[in-house]
Amino acid sequence: MRLEGKVALISGGARGMGAAEARLFASEGAKVVIGDLLEDEGRQTEAQINEAGGECLFIRLDVTSESNWQDVVATTVARFGKLDILVNNAGIFRTERVEDTSEQSWDQVMDVNAKGVFLGTKAAIPEMRKVGGGSIVNISSIAGLVGSPYSSAYNASKGAVRLLTKSTAIQYAREGIRANSVHPGVIETEMTREVVNDEAFRQFRLVTNPIPRLGQPEDVAYGVLFLASDEASFMTGSELVIDGGWTAQ
Ligand code: NDP
């Protein structure tokens, strides 16, 4: 199994891509902690993984709170003995052009998407150091690579994740701690339900995406699994784009 003996913490793991990653990690032998604001969905995902024979623990986590992160990392280590893998996956999306973005909305998006990744990384590194290394996988977006006609703070936050990943990679490589970013295209989850259900949008993407379909959470989960595993032991500071070819055009 590709994550045998590893302990992983996935933020925003109650549903969507984070839940798909949690299921895949558990099926590959990892003990998985999912941290999320959504308690009902989190407990459902936890139960589903445990019933399937995996080992999973849900803990309530608000990624914008440093003390919450410290508690969740401490609980992970108390329960499973260590921390090898952190997936900073929690995020929120806003379709607001620059002039439509309030200061409050900007701060909220930056807090969850950018500060949340910083705080998670900061909390995890001391535990990874204790076991001689680890893997941090930060979920950015194609919105962290190219601009968008309809979102602003979201792009800024995902661009911040991309470069925080590279700084983390450089600062901790000598301690065996790797950090890589993942850049999904449009993936069918609750976050994108509204746009994906818009028939005009759907048809536009199907016609213009080189691979003519929308992404599924599992498409991203397999990339995250690879980066989390020792198979990627020579990869740090890199960007894995999973977008059906959208940004290659
Ligand atoms: P979902 O909304 O399905 O899942 C995100 C999860 O993060 C939700 O459970 C959400 O809970 C949780 N979350 C939000 N804020 C916080 C917080 N402060 N603390 C803890 N958990 C929180 O989205 P996806 O699975 O689609 O997205 C996962 C990641 O992938 C995000 O970072 C997103 O930006 C990124 N991404 C998504 C793409 C897509 O097309 N779906 C494309 C590219 C990147 P709640 O509902 O309470 O907010």
Side-chain angles (χ1 to χ4, degrees):
M1 289 204 271
R2 296 168 72 184
L3 297 181
E4 188 72 53
K6 305 276 191 195
V7 177
L9 169 56
I10 302 175
S11 73
R15 71 177 191 202
M17 282 189 241
E21 287 148 18
R23 286 191 291 270
L24 185 60
F25 279 24
S27 74
E28 290 291 346
K31 294 174 175 129
V32 182
V33 175
I34 50 180
D36 204 299
L37 286 174
L38 298 176
E39 301 202 27
D40 289 348
E41 284 93 333
R43 296 209 183 285
Q44 274 168 27
T45 303
E46 174 195 56
Q48 196 185 40
I49 290 172
N50 288 330
E51 280 158 21
E55 269 194 86
C56 180
L57 173 69
F58 167 75
I59 310 174
R60 190 187 182 281
L61 166 68
D62 178 350
V63 295
T64 66
S65 159
E66 184 158 26
S67 62
N68 251 217
W69 268 114
Q70 284 162 350
D71 290 348
V72 169
V73 168
T75 307
T76 302
V77 173
R79 173 71 178 264
F80 294 128
K82 59 175 181 163
L83 178 63
D84 302 294
I85 297 163
L86 171 66
V87 183
N88 279 307
N89 163 80
I92 55 174
F93 181 57
R94 293 275 188 287
T95 47
E96 294 165 336
R97 283 155 44 104
V98 171
E99 289 172 287
D100 308 322
T101 305
S102 66
E103 186 178 351
Q104 188 196 21
S105 179
W106 173 275
D107 287 346
Q108 206 181 2
V109 171
M110 293 301 285
D111 265 8
V112 176
N113 294 3
K115 188 172 90 171
V117 174
F118 153 64
L119 292 176
T121 302
K122 188 178 170 190
I125 283 170
E127 290 303 330
M128 291 181 172
R129 180 177 289 128
K130 284 182 196 164
V131 292
S135 175
I136 299 169
V137 184
N138 293 330
I139 310 301
S140 175
S141 167
I142 56 170
L145 300 174
V146 295
S148 158
Y150 52 82
S151 59
S152 316
Y154 186 74
N155 294 64
S157 70
K158 293 299 187 180
V161 170
R162 173 175 171 265
L163 277 184
L164 175 62
T165 305
K166 292 188 195 300
S167 291
T168 306
I170 290 166
Q171 290 168 24
Y172 297 98
R174 300 276 162 141
E175 298 191 70
I177 299 171
R178 299 182 295 104
N180 293 285
S181 56
V182 174
H183 301 264
V186 179
I187 310 295
E188 291 198 72
T189 66
E190 198 55 37
M191 179 181 275
T192 52
R193 191 163 50 87
E194 222 170 280
V195 280
V196 160
N197 284 348
D198 180 306
E199 199 45 39
F201 174 86
R202 206 181 173 87
Q203 282 311 320
F204 172 71
R205 292 304 282 216
L206 294 183
V207 169
T208 54
N209 224 29
I211 295 177
R213 66 173 175 86
L214 295 172
Q216 298 303 313
E218 291 71 24
D219 292 318
V220 177
Y222 278 107
V224 176
L225 168 66
F226 167 65
L227 291 173
S229 78
D230 293 339
E231 295 160 12
S233 64
F234 197 51
M235 284 181 76
T236 200
S238 75
E239 301 165 16
L240 182 60
V241 180
I242 305 176
D243 69 348
W246 178 262
T247 51
Q249 302 175 96

PDB file of all heavy atoms in Angstrom, residues 107-143:
ATOM      1  N   ASP A 107     -11.019  39.900   2.939  1.00  0.00           N
ATOM      2  CA  ASP A 107     -10.363  39.403   4.149  1.00  0.00           C
ATOM      3  C   ASP A 107     -10.769  37.957   4.443  1.00  0.00           C
ATOM      4  O   ASP A 107      -9.941  37.136   4.849  1.00  0.00           O
ATOM      5  CB  ASP A 107     -10.717  40.280   5.359  1.00  0.00           C
ATOM      6  CG  ASP A 107     -10.014  41.639   5.302  1.00  0.00           C
ATOM      7  OD1 ASP A 107      -9.064  41.780   4.492  1.00  0.00           O
ATOM      8  OD2 ASP A 107     -10.416  42.554   6.039  1.00  0.00           O
ATOM      9  N   GLN A 108     -12.050  37.659   4.221  1.00  0.00           N
ATOM     10  CA  GLN A 108     -12.548  36.309   4.506  1.00  0.00           C
ATOM     11  C   GLN A 108     -11.864  35.270   3.601  1.00  0.00           C
ATOM     12  O   GLN A 108     -11.409  34.222   4.066  1.00  0.00           O
ATOM     13  CB  GLN A 108     -14.059  36.293   4.269  1.00  0.00           C
ATOM     14  CG  GLN A 108     -14.774  35.257   5.069  1.00  0.00           C
ATOM     15  CD  GLN A 108     -16.264  35.284   4.765  1.00  0.00           C
ATOM     16  OE1 GLN A 108     -16.749  36.065   3.923  1.00  0.00           O
ATOM     17  NE2 GLN A 108     -16.997  34.438   5.441  1.00  0.00           N
ATOM     18  N   VAL A 109     -11.782  35.594   2.318  1.00  0.00           N
ATOM     19  CA  VAL A 109     -11.174  34.659   1.361  1.00  0.00           C
ATOM     20  C   VAL A 109      -9.686  34.492   1.663  1.00  0.00           C
ATOM     21  O   VAL A 109      -9.162  33.368   1.688  1.00  0.00           O
ATOM     22  CB  VAL A 109     -11.403  35.148  -0.088  1.00  0.00           C
ATOM     23  CG1 VAL A 109     -10.596  34.328  -1.082  1.00  0.00           C
ATOM     24  CG2 VAL A 109     -12.883  35.089  -0.435  1.00  0.00           C
ATOM     25  N   MET A 110      -9.008  35.601   1.926  1.00  0.00           N
ATOM     26  CA  MET A 110      -7.574  35.500   2.230  1.00  0.00           C
ATOM     27  C   MET A 110      -7.345  34.748   3.552  1.00  0.00           C
ATOM     28  O   MET A 110      -6.379  33.992   3.682  1.00  0.00           O
ATOM     29  CB  MET A 110      -6.942  36.900   2.309  1.00  0.00           C
ATOM     30  CG  MET A 110      -6.919  37.637   0.988  1.00  0.00           C
ATOM     31  SD  MET A 110      -6.019  36.782  -0.335  1.00  0.00           S
ATOM     32  CE  MET A 110      -4.345  37.070   0.147  1.00  0.00           C
ATOM     33  N   ASP A 111      -8.225  34.963   4.513  1.00  0.00           N
ATOM     34  CA  ASP A 111      -8.089  34.286   5.817  1.00  0.00           C
ATOM     35  C   ASP A 111      -8.174  32.764   5.666  1.00  0.00           C
ATOM     36  O   ASP A 111      -7.350  32.038   6.206  1.00  0.00           O
ATOM     37  CB  ASP A 111      -9.214  34.729   6.761  1.00  0.00           C
ATOM     38  CG  ASP A 111      -8.777  35.883   7.650  1.00  0.00           C
ATOM     39  OD1 ASP A 111      -7.675  36.427   7.416  1.00  0.00           O
ATOM     40  OD2 ASP A 111      -9.541  36.245   8.550  1.00  0.00           O
ATOM     41  N   VAL A 112      -9.207  32.307   4.976  1.00  0.00           N
ATOM     42  CA  VAL A 112      -9.395  30.848   4.854  1.00  0.00           C
ATOM     43  C   VAL A 112      -8.363  30.261   3.896  1.00  0.00           C
ATOM     44  O   VAL A 112      -7.653  29.308   4.230  1.00  0.00           O
ATOM     45  CB  VAL A 112     -10.822  30.505   4.359  1.00  0.00           C
ATOM     46  CG1 VAL A 112     -10.961  28.994   4.153  1.00  0.00           C
ATOM     47  CG2 VAL A 112     -11.872  31.011   5.337  1.00  0.00           C
ATOM     48  N   ASN A 113      -8.253  30.838   2.705  1.00  0.00           N
ATOM     49  CA  ASN A 113      -7.468  30.193   1.642  1.00  0.00           C
ATOM     50  C   ASN A 113      -5.958  30.397   1.785  1.00  0.00           C
ATOM     51  O   ASN A 113      -5.189  29.526   1.399  1.00  0.00           O
ATOM     52  CB  ASN A 113      -7.898  30.716   0.267  1.00  0.00           C
ATOM     53  CG  ASN A 113      -9.325  30.327  -0.088  1.00  0.00           C
ATOM     54  OD1 ASN A 113     -10.020  29.711   0.708  1.00  0.00           O
ATOM     55  ND2 ASN A 113      -9.773  30.695  -1.269  1.00  0.00           N
ATOM     56  N   ALA A 114      -5.542  31.547   2.289  1.00  0.00           N
ATOM     57  CA  ALA A 114      -4.096  31.809   2.376  1.00  0.00           C
ATOM     58  C   ALA A 114      -3.590  31.668   3.816  1.00  0.00           C
ATOM     59  O   ALA A 114      -2.706  30.869   4.100  1.00  0.00           O
ATOM     60  CB  ALA A 114      -3.779  33.199   1.820  1.00  0.00           C
ATOM     61  N   LYS A 115      -4.214  32.418   4.755  1.00  0.00           N
ATOM     62  CA  LYS A 115      -3.748  32.320   6.145  1.00  0.00           C
ATOM     63  C   LYS A 115      -3.944  30.899   6.686  1.00  0.00           C
ATOM     64  O   LYS A 115      -3.111  30.397   7.444  1.00  0.00           O
ATOM     65  CB  LYS A 115      -4.487  33.342   7.035  1.00  0.00           C
ATOM     66  CG  LYS A 115      -3.905  33.405   8.440  1.00  0.00           C
ATOM     67  CD  LYS A 115      -4.480  34.535   9.269  1.00  0.00           C
ATOM     68  CE  LYS A 115      -5.701  34.096  10.026  1.00  0.00           C
ATOM     69  NZ  LYS A 115      -6.163  35.109  11.005  1.00  0.00           N
ATOM     70  N   GLY A 116      -5.029  30.255   6.275  1.00  0.00           N
ATOM     71  CA  GLY A 116      -5.296  28.882   6.741  1.00  0.00           C
ATOM     72  C   GLY A 116      -4.168  27.931   6.369  1.00  0.00           C
ATOM     73  O   GLY A 116      -3.787  27.060   7.150  1.00  0.00           O
ATOM     74  N   VAL A 117      -3.623  28.102   5.168  1.00  0.00           N
ATOM     75  CA  VAL A 117      -2.519  27.241   4.715  1.00  0.00           C
ATOM     76  C   VAL A 117      -1.251  27.553   5.512  1.00  0.00           C
ATOM     77  O   VAL A 117      -0.523  26.648   5.945  1.00  0.00           O
ATOM     78  CB  VAL A 117      -2.290  27.423   3.196  1.00  0.00           C
ATOM     79  CG1 VAL A 117      -1.054  26.665   2.731  1.00  0.00           C
ATOM     80  CG2 VAL A 117      -3.526  26.975   2.425  1.00  0.00           C
ATOM     81  N   PHE A 118      -1.009  28.843   5.741  1.00  0.00           N
ATOM     82  CA  PHE A 118       0.156  29.254   6.543  1.00  0.00           C
ATOM     83  C   PHE A 118       0.067  28.658   7.957  1.00  0.00           C
ATOM     84  O   PHE A 118       1.027  28.059   8.466  1.00  0.00           O
ATOM     85  CB  PHE A 118       0.223  30.788   6.585  1.00  0.00           C
ATOM     86  CG  PHE A 118       0.888  31.360   7.799  1.00  0.00           C
ATOM     87  CD1 PHE A 118       2.236  31.128   8.055  1.00  0.00           C
ATOM     88  CD2 PHE A 118       0.164  32.127   8.708  1.00  0.00           C
ATOM     89  CE1 PHE A 118       2.848  31.647   9.196  1.00  0.00           C
ATOM     90  CE2 PHE A 118       0.766  32.643   9.846  1.00  0.00           C
ATOM     91  CZ  PHE A 118       2.112  32.400  10.093  1.00  0.00           C
ATOM     92  N   LEU A 119      -1.093  28.793   8.597  1.00  0.00           N
ATOM     93  CA  LEU A 119      -1.228  28.321   9.979  1.00  0.00           C
ATOM     94  C   LEU A 119      -1.098  26.798  10.072  1.00  0.00           C
ATOM     95  O   LEU A 119      -0.489  26.274  11.007  1.00  0.00           O
ATOM     96  CB  LEU A 119      -2.569  28.777  10.575  1.00  0.00           C
ATOM     97  CG  LEU A 119      -2.732  30.284  10.814  1.00  0.00           C
ATOM     98  CD1 LEU A 119      -4.141  30.599  11.317  1.00  0.00           C
ATOM     99  CD2 LEU A 119      -1.679  30.803  11.811  1.00  0.00           C
ATOM    100  N   GLY A 120      -1.678  26.102   9.093  1.00  0.00           N
ATOM    101  CA  GLY A 120      -1.585  24.639   9.085  1.00  0.00           C
ATOM    102  C   GLY A 120      -0.142  24.188   8.923  1.00  0.00           C
ATOM    103  O   GLY A 120       0.340  23.285   9.622  1.00  0.00           O
ATOM    104  N   THR A 121       0.553  24.844   8.009  1.00  0.00           N
ATOM    105  CA  THR A 121       1.956  24.507   7.750  1.00  0.00           C
ATOM    106  C   THR A 121       2.789  24.752   9.006  1.00  0.00           C
ATOM    107  O   THR A 121       3.603  23.924   9.419  1.00  0.00           O
ATOM    108  CB  THR A 121       2.471  25.375   6.575  1.00  0.00           C
ATOM    109  OG1 THR A 121       1.638  25.110   5.432  1.00  0.00           O
ATOM    110  CG2 THR A 121       3.912  25.081   6.240  1.00  0.00           C
ATOM    111  N   LYS A 122       2.544  25.905   9.632  1.00  0.00           N
ATOM    112  CA  LYS A 122       3.302  26.277  10.835  1.00  0.00           C
ATOM    113  C   LYS A 122       3.071  25.269  11.967  1.00  0.00           C
ATOM    114  O   LYS A 122       4.000  24.901  12.689  1.00  0.00           O
ATOM    115  CB  LYS A 122       2.864  27.682  11.269  1.00  0.00           C
ATOM    116  CG  LYS A 122       3.684  28.273  12.386  1.00  0.00           C
ATOM    117  CD  LYS A 122       3.191  29.682  12.713  1.00  0.00           C
ATOM    118  CE  LYS A 122       3.840  30.199  13.984  1.00  0.00           C
ATOM    119  NZ  LYS A 122       3.199  31.452  14.440  1.00  0.00           N
ATOM    120  N   ALA A 123       1.837  24.812  12.095  1.00  0.00           N
ATOM    121  CA  ALA A 123       1.513  23.868  13.177  1.00  0.00           C
ATOM    122  C   ALA A 123       2.082  22.476  12.909  1.00  0.00           C
ATOM    123  O   ALA A 123       2.442  21.751  13.847  1.00  0.00           O
ATOM    124  CB  ALA A 123      -0.009  23.789  13.348  1.00  0.00           C
ATOM    125  N   ALA A 124       2.161  22.098  11.629  1.00  0.00           N
ATOM    126  CA  ALA A 124       2.568  20.723  11.299  1.00  0.00           C
ATOM    127  C   ALA A 124       4.082  20.522  11.323  1.00  0.00           C
ATOM    128  O   ALA A 124       4.565  19.429  11.656  1.00  0.00           O
ATOM    129  CB  ALA A 124       2.034  20.347   9.916  1.00  0.00           C
ATOM    130  N   ILE A 125       4.839  21.550  10.954  1.00  0.00           N
ATOM    131  CA  ILE A 125       6.297  21.384  10.776  1.00  0.00           C
ATOM    132  C   ILE A 125       7.002  20.825  12.026  1.00  0.00           C
ATOM    133  O   ILE A 125       7.805  19.880  11.893  1.00  0.00           O
ATOM    134  CB  ILE A 125       6.930  22.704  10.273  1.00  0.00           C
ATOM    135  CG1 ILE A 125       6.616  22.843   8.783  1.00  0.00           C
ATOM    136  CG2 ILE A 125       8.439  22.740  10.513  1.00  0.00           C
ATOM    137  CD1 ILE A 125       6.963  24.194   8.196  1.00  0.00           C
ATOM    138  N   PRO A 126       6.739  21.319  13.230  1.00  0.00           N
ATOM    139  CA  PRO A 126       7.458  20.752  14.390  1.00  0.00           C
ATOM    140  C   PRO A 126       7.226  19.255  14.566  1.00  0.00           C
ATOM    141  O   PRO A 126       8.155  18.521  14.936  1.00  0.00           O
ATOM    142  CB  PRO A 126       6.888  21.547  15.579  1.00  0.00           C
ATOM    143  CG  PRO A 126       6.383  22.816  14.981  1.00  0.00           C
ATOM    144  CD  PRO A 126       5.890  22.455  13.613  1.00  0.00           C
ATOM    145  N   GLU A 127       6.010  18.781  14.266  1.00  0.00           N
ATOM    146  CA  GLU A 127       5.733  17.337  14.404  1.00  0.00           C
ATOM    147  C   GLU A 127       6.419  16.554  13.294  1.00  0.00           C
ATOM    148  O   GLU A 127       6.892  15.435  13.519  1.00  0.00           O
ATOM    149  CB  GLU A 127       4.218  17.075  14.396  1.00  0.00           C
ATOM    150  CG  GLU A 127       3.500  17.573  15.637  1.00  0.00           C
ATOM    151  CD  GLU A 127       4.060  16.975  16.941  1.00  0.00           C
ATOM    152  OE1 GLU A 127       4.571  15.835  16.926  1.00  0.00           O
ATOM    153  OE2 GLU A 127       3.995  17.676  17.976  1.00  0.00           O
ATOM    154  N   MET A 128       6.474  17.123  12.083  1.00  0.00           N
ATOM    155  CA  MET A 128       7.164  16.430  10.977  1.00  0.00           C
ATOM    156  C   MET A 128       8.665  16.351  11.278  1.00  0.00           C
ATOM    157  O   MET A 128       9.313  15.344  10.998  1.00  0.00           O
ATOM    158  CB  MET A 128       6.899  17.160   9.660  1.00  0.00           C
ATOM    159  CG  MET A 128       5.448  17.036   9.213  1.00  0.00           C
ATOM    160  SD  MET A 128       5.144  17.858   7.656  1.00  0.00           S
ATOM    161  CE  MET A 128       3.458  17.301   7.322  1.00  0.00           C
ATOM    162  N   ARG A 129       9.201  17.409  11.841  1.00  0.00           N
ATOM    163  CA  ARG A 129      10.631  17.431  12.203  1.00  0.00           C
ATOM    164  C   ARG A 129      10.940  16.282  13.168  1.00  0.00           C
ATOM    165  O   ARG A 129      11.964  15.615  13.045  1.00  0.00           O
ATOM    166  CB  ARG A 129      10.943  18.778  12.848  1.00  0.00           C
ATOM    167  CG  ARG A 129      12.392  18.931  13.275  1.00  0.00           C
ATOM    168  CD  ARG A 129      12.650  20.311  13.849  1.00  0.00           C
ATOM    169  NE  ARG A 129      12.623  21.351  12.844  1.00  0.00           N
ATOM    170  CZ  ARG A 129      11.883  22.468  12.917  1.00  0.00           C
ATOM    171  NH1 ARG A 129      11.100  22.688  13.963  1.00  0.00           N
ATOM    172  NH2 ARG A 129      11.931  23.367  11.970  1.00  0.00           N
ATOM    173  N   LYS A 130      10.021  16.042  14.118  1.00  0.00           N
ATOM    174  CA  LYS A 130      10.268  14.985  15.124  1.00  0.00           C
ATOM    175  C   LYS A 130      10.418  13.605  14.496  1.00  0.00           C
ATOM    176  O   LYS A 130      11.089  12.747  15.043  1.00  0.00           O
ATOM    177  CB  LYS A 130       9.101  14.932  16.121  1.00  0.00           C
ATOM    178  CG  LYS A 130       9.120  16.053  17.142  1.00  0.00           C
ATOM    179  CD  LYS A 130       7.952  15.876  18.107  1.00  0.00           C
ATOM    180  CE  LYS A 130       7.695  17.155  18.872  1.00  0.00           C
ATOM    181  NZ  LYS A 130       6.373  17.173  19.531  1.00  0.00           N
ATOM    182  N   VAL A 131       9.735  13.382  13.331  1.00  0.00           N
ATOM    183  CA  VAL A 131       9.824  12.056  12.704  1.00  0.00           C
ATOM    184  C   VAL A 131      10.757  12.071  11.485  1.00  0.00           C
ATOM    185  O   VAL A 131      10.758  11.145  10.674  1.00  0.00           O
ATOM    186  CB  VAL A 131       8.425  11.493  12.324  1.00  0.00           C
ATOM    187  CG1 VAL A 131       7.637  11.177  13.577  1.00  0.00           C
ATOM    188  CG2 VAL A 131       7.646  12.432  11.420  1.00  0.00           C
ATOM    189  N   GLY A 132      11.537  13.141  11.358  1.00  0.00           N
ATOM    190  CA  GLY A 132      12.566  13.180  10.313  1.00  0.00           C
ATOM    191  C   GLY A 132      12.079  13.586   8.940  1.00  0.00           C
ATOM    192  O   GLY A 132      12.787  13.420   7.945  1.00  0.00           O
ATOM    193  N   GLY A 133      10.863  14.126   8.865  1.00  0.00           N
ATOM    194  CA  GLY A 133      10.383  14.626   7.562  1.00  0.00           C
ATOM    195  C   GLY A 133       8.892  14.482   7.402  1.00  0.00           C
ATOM    196  O   GLY A 133       8.199  13.996   8.305  1.00  0.00           O
ATOM    197  N   GLY A 134       8.413  14.906   6.237  1.00  0.00           N
ATOM    198  CA  GLY A 134       6.981  14.820   5.980  1.00  0.00           C
ATOM    199  C   GLY A 134       6.661  15.407   4.624  1.00  0.00           C
ATOM    200  O   GLY A 134       7.551  15.894   3.912  1.00  0.00           O
ATOM    201  N   SER A 135       5.378  15.365   4.284  1.00  0.00           N
ATOM    202  CA  SER A 135       4.937  15.903   2.995  1.00  0.00           C
ATOM    203  C   SER A 135       3.745  16.830   3.204  1.00  0.00           C
ATOM    204  O   SER A 135       2.742  16.434   3.807  1.00  0.00           O
ATOM    205  CB  SER A 135       4.534  14.762   2.057  1.00  0.00           C
ATOM    206  OG  SER A 135       4.001  15.304   0.855  1.00  0.00           O
ATOM    207  N   ILE A 136       3.885  18.060   2.706  1.00  0.00           N
ATOM    208  CA  ILE A 136       2.786  19.034   2.774  1.00  0.00           C
ATOM    209  C   ILE A 136       2.280  19.241   1.351  1.00  0.00           C
ATOM    210  O   ILE A 136       3.065  19.536   0.439  1.00  0.00           O
ATOM    211  CB  ILE A 136       3.282  20.368   3.380  1.00  0.00           C
ATOM    212  CG1 ILE A 136       3.793  20.144   4.811  1.00  0.00           C
ATOM    213  CG2 ILE A 136       2.165  21.416   3.353  1.00  0.00           C
ATOM    214  CD1 ILE A 136       4.536  21.342   5.406  1.00  0.00           C
ATOM    215  N   VAL A 137       0.981  19.043   1.173  1.00  0.00           N
ATOM    216  CA  VAL A 137       0.378  19.230  -0.152  1.00  0.00           C
ATOM    217  C   VAL A 137      -0.648  20.350  -0.028  1.00  0.00           C
ATOM    218  O   VAL A 137      -1.612  20.237   0.746  1.00  0.00           O
ATOM    219  CB  VAL A 137      -0.295  17.933  -0.654  1.00  0.00           C
ATOM    220  CG1 VAL A 137      -0.823  18.140  -2.071  1.00  0.00           C
ATOM    221  CG2 VAL A 137       0.677  16.755  -0.612  1.00  0.00           C
ATOM    222  N   ASN A 138      -0.413  21.434  -0.739  1.00  0.00           N
ATOM    223  CA  ASN A 138      -1.303  22.593  -0.661  1.00  0.00           C
ATOM    224  C   ASN A 138      -2.191  22.663  -1.891  1.00  0.00           C
ATOM    225  O   ASN A 138      -1.696  22.686  -3.028  1.00  0.00           O
ATOM    226  CB  ASN A 138      -0.478  23.872  -0.543  1.00  0.00           C
ATOM    227  CG  ASN A 138       0.270  23.935   0.784  1.00  0.00           C
ATOM    228  OD1 ASN A 138      -0.202  23.389   1.786  1.00  0.00           O
ATOM    229  ND2 ASN A 138       1.410  24.601   0.803  1.00  0.00           N
ATOM    230  N   ILE A 139      -3.500  22.705  -1.656  1.00  0.00           N
ATOM    231  CA  ILE A 139      -4.427  22.758  -2.788  1.00  0.00           C
ATOM    232  C   ILE A 139      -4.609  24.213  -3.194  1.00  0.00           C
ATOM    233  O   ILE A 139      -5.311  24.984  -2.525  1.00  0.00           O
ATOM    234  CB  ILE A 139      -5.786  22.100  -2.457  1.00  0.00           C
ATOM    235  CG1 ILE A 139      -5.589  20.690  -1.843  1.00  0.00           C
ATOM    236  CG2 ILE A 139      -6.649  22.043  -3.716  1.00  0.00           C
ATOM    237  CD1 ILE A 139      -4.847  19.693  -2.707  1.00  0.00           C
ATOM    238  N   SER A 140      -3.959  24.569  -4.294  1.00  0.00           N
ATOM    239  CA  SER A 140      -4.152  25.894  -4.896  1.00  0.00           C
ATOM    240  C   SER A 140      -5.259  25.732  -5.934  1.00  0.00           C
ATOM    241  O   SER A 140      -6.325  25.179  -5.621  1.00  0.00           O
ATOM    242  CB  SER A 140      -2.828  26.390  -5.497  1.00  0.00           C
ATOM    243  OG  SER A 140      -2.991  27.601  -6.168  1.00  0.00           O
ATOM    244  N   SER A 141      -5.020  26.147  -7.155  1.00  0.00           N
ATOM    245  CA  SER A 141      -6.050  26.100  -8.203  1.00  0.00           C
ATOM    246  C   SER A 141      -5.403  26.564  -9.499  1.00  0.00           C
ATOM    247  O   SER A 141      -4.326  27.184  -9.465  1.00  0.00           O
ATOM    248  CB  SER A 141      -7.181  27.058  -7.831  1.00  0.00           C
ATOM    249  OG  SER A 141      -8.049  27.284  -8.925  1.00  0.00           O
ATOM    250  N   ILE A 142      -6.053  26.339 -10.624  1.00  0.00           N
ATOM    251  CA  ILE A 142      -5.583  27.023 -11.840  1.00  0.00           C
ATOM    252  C   ILE A 142      -5.750  28.535 -11.652  1.00  0.00           C
ATOM    253  O   ILE A 142      -5.069  29.319 -12.291  1.00  0.00           O
ATOM    254  CB  ILE A 142      -6.287  26.531 -13.132  1.00  0.00           C
ATOM    255  CG1 ILE A 142      -7.803  26.651 -13.034  1.00  0.00           C
ATOM    256  CG2 ILE A 142      -5.855  25.121 -13.483  1.00  0.00           C
ATOM    257  CD1 ILE A 142      -8.533  26.409 -14.368  1.00  0.00           C
ATOM    258  N   ALA A 143      -6.649  28.924 -10.720  1.00  0.00           N
ATOM    259  CA  ALA A 143      -6.817  30.350 -10.388  1.00  0.00           C
ATOM    260  C   ALA A 143      -5.597  30.905  -9.659  1.00  0.00           C
ATOM    261  O   ALA A 143      -5.498  32.111  -9.454  1.00  0.00           O
ATOM    262  CB  ALA A 143      -8.079  30.549  -9.542  1.00  0.00           C
TER     263      ALA A 143
END
